[in-house]
């Protein structure tokens, strides 16, 4: 953390919101805060003003390791040759077809 | 790949409807235009709390006060969403805020007009936020991912602002003669500045063409203005008020409302600092920044005392 002064910019935290229990946490935006607890408070004030919200996550932005769109083609390409990973690849009697 | 090739590939991605994300390569000019537009937008949300905040203590009922408090809090929150989104482009929030406080950055011209009566609070929610929604709805399709996602979130919240404002003005318009007059006078004063919110006409808007090609903007200023006019005119009539435009007429052939000429000299005069409130707004922002210093210091002191 850089040496704090009253006007310095605190670390950036990414905010993830879970709208109801069991749902995925989705990225909502970010807040600046000197620590996790204050980041959670700021996230509540900014991203949870309208309920219902089941839970909030905050994570320091610099801890996130991400791909770029340029990487995606080589790094994330699912491979059209891997159709056997999908249920539709397999045939059977009509009655057993998934809906 | 050299820059010309990169730029061609970039344009191809835009043309294919793809979204550009923070880590992606982008032309410097694209980054610069986004920083300009998004920070201007962020500043507008925050400065926009001032004309309305002015009326919180004077709201006529508890219900109206609650709505106004929530709305002003929303606007400040929208500023935060947007500052966060601009920061993904590699500028710091400190830089953004200090260029506003130094008077280098712009915010929406509309907030350089004063709120003279309670009806103005309603007209801001209804017409000012209504115009903002028209603009922001198209920006949900903008090519820069963080901006478009922020716009989706903001649009959902703005709808409440627009509704409460329309309701407020409709109640006044159906009230006693003095209330009705107050509502009409507010519409008269805000109508033209609201139409100017969409920016100068297309043929006088130097960046528009490039911005549309990059899908930083999705519709031109004049297209957006026309869309808004077609929405707003029937609403004004619906509550029995008049549009302060003697040249206004409905074009049955095209189904559009045609407006009279906009006074662009006034627009440029206010943008250049000649509006009634330009100085006040900046002074209020500077004062708020200074008066909020203790909050920043307290949060820091608290964080320092905690075991890391």
């Amino acid at each position: 953390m850089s040496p704090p002064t009253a006007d310095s910019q605190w670390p950036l935290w990414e905010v993830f919101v879970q709208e109801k229990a069991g749902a995925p946490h989705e990225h909502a935006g970010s807040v600046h805060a000197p620590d996790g607890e204050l980041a959670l408070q700021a996230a509540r004030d900014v991203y949870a003003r309208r309920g219902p919200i089941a839970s909030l996550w905050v994570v320091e932005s610099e801890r996130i390791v991400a791909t770029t769109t340029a990487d995606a083609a080589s790094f994330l390409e699912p491979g059209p040759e891997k159709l056997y990973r999908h249920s539709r690849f397999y045939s059977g009697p009509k009655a057993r077809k998934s809906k | 790949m050299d820059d010309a090739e990169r730029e061609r590939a970039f344009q191809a991605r835009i043309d294919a409807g793809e979204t550009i994300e923070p880590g992606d390569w982008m032309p410097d000019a694209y980054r610069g235009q986004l920083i300009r537009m998004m920070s201007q937008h962020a500043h507008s949300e925050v400065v926009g709390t001032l004309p309305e905040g002015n009326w919180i203590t004077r709201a006529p009922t508890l219900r109206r006060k609650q709505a106004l408090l929530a709305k002003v809090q929303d606007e400040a929150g929208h500023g935060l969403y947007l500052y966060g989104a601009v920061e993904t482009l590699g500028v710091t929030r400190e830089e953004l805020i200090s260029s506003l406080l130094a008077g280098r950055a712009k915010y929406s011209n509309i907030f350089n007009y004063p709120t003279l009566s309670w009806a103005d609070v309603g007209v801001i929610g209804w017409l000012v936020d209504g115009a903002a929604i028209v603009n922001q709805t198209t920006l949900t399709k903008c090519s820069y991912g963080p901006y478009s996602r922020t716009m989706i979130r903001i649009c959902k919240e703005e709808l409440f602002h627009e509704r409460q404002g329309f309701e407020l003005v409709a109640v006044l318009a159906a009230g006693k003669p003095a209330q009705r007059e107050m509502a009409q006078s507010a519409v008269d004063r805000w109508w033209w500045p609201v139409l100017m919110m969409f920016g100068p006409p297309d043929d006088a808007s130097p960046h528009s063409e490039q911005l549309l090609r990059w899908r930083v903007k999705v519709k031109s200023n004049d297209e957006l203005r026309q869309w808004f006019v077609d929405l707003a005119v029937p609403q004004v009539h619906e509550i029995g008020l008049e549009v302060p435009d003697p040249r206004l007429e409905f074009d049955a052939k095209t189904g559009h409302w045609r407006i009279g000429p906009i006074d662009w000299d006034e627009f440029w005069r206010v943008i250049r600092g000649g509006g009634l409130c330009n100085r006040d707004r900046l002074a209020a922002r500077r004062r708020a920044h200074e008066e909020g210093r203790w909050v920043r210091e307290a949060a820091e002191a608290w964080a320092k005392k905690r075991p890391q």
Side-chain angles (χ1 to χ4, degrees), chain A residues 49, chain B residues 49 52-53 55-57 59 62-76 118 121 160-161 164:
Chain A
R49 285 197 304 283
Chain B
T49 62
E52 293 180 296
W55 283 90
I56 290 173
T57 55
L62 186 56
R63 180 173 177 270
R64 295 287 180 210
K65 185 185 285 210
Q66 273 180 321
L68 188 54
L69 269 170
K71 178 180 190 298
V72 167
Q73 191 190 23
D74 273 357
E75 306 293 8
W118 171 247
V121 171
F160 133 64
H161 303 172
Q164 63 88 34

Side-chain angles (χ1 to χ4, degrees), chain A residues 1-10 12 14-15 17 19 26-38 41-42 45-50 53 67-71, chain B residues 13 18-21 23-24 70 73-75 77-78 80-81 84-85 87 91-95 149 153 156-157 160-161 289-290 293 295-297 299-300 302-304 306 308:
Chain A
M1 206 185 295
S2 55
T5 66
D7 271 336
S8 86
Q9 177 155 297
W10 293 322
L12 193 64
E14 297 303 319
V15 179
V17 173
E19 292 200 344
E26 287 186 356
H27 183 243
S30 55
V31 294
H32 285 283
D35 71 5
E37 201 169 333
L38 287 175
Q41 289 193 15
D45 294 345
V46 179
Y47 296 103
R49 285 197 304 283
R50 288 182 176 76
I53 299 277
T67 60
T68 65
T69 310
D71 296 337
Chain B
R13 292 189 58 204
E18 283 184 37
T19 301
I20 309 301
E21 294 297 337
D24 297 353
Q73 191 190 23
D74 273 357
E75 306 293 8
H78 294 173
L80 282 174
Y81 304 166
E87 283 175 89
V91 278
T92 67
R93 187 167 311 192
E94 277 178 288
E95 292 171 61
R149 288 190 288 273
R153 180 171 286 276
K156 283 186 194 158
E157 302 192 351
F160 133 64
H161 303 172
H289 193 71
E290 277 315 303
R293 182 178 295 279
V295 178
R296 301 192 288 278
E297 284 170 350
E300 225 144 56
W302 189 79
K304 253 196 273 183
R306 292 174 59 84
Q308 289 296 317

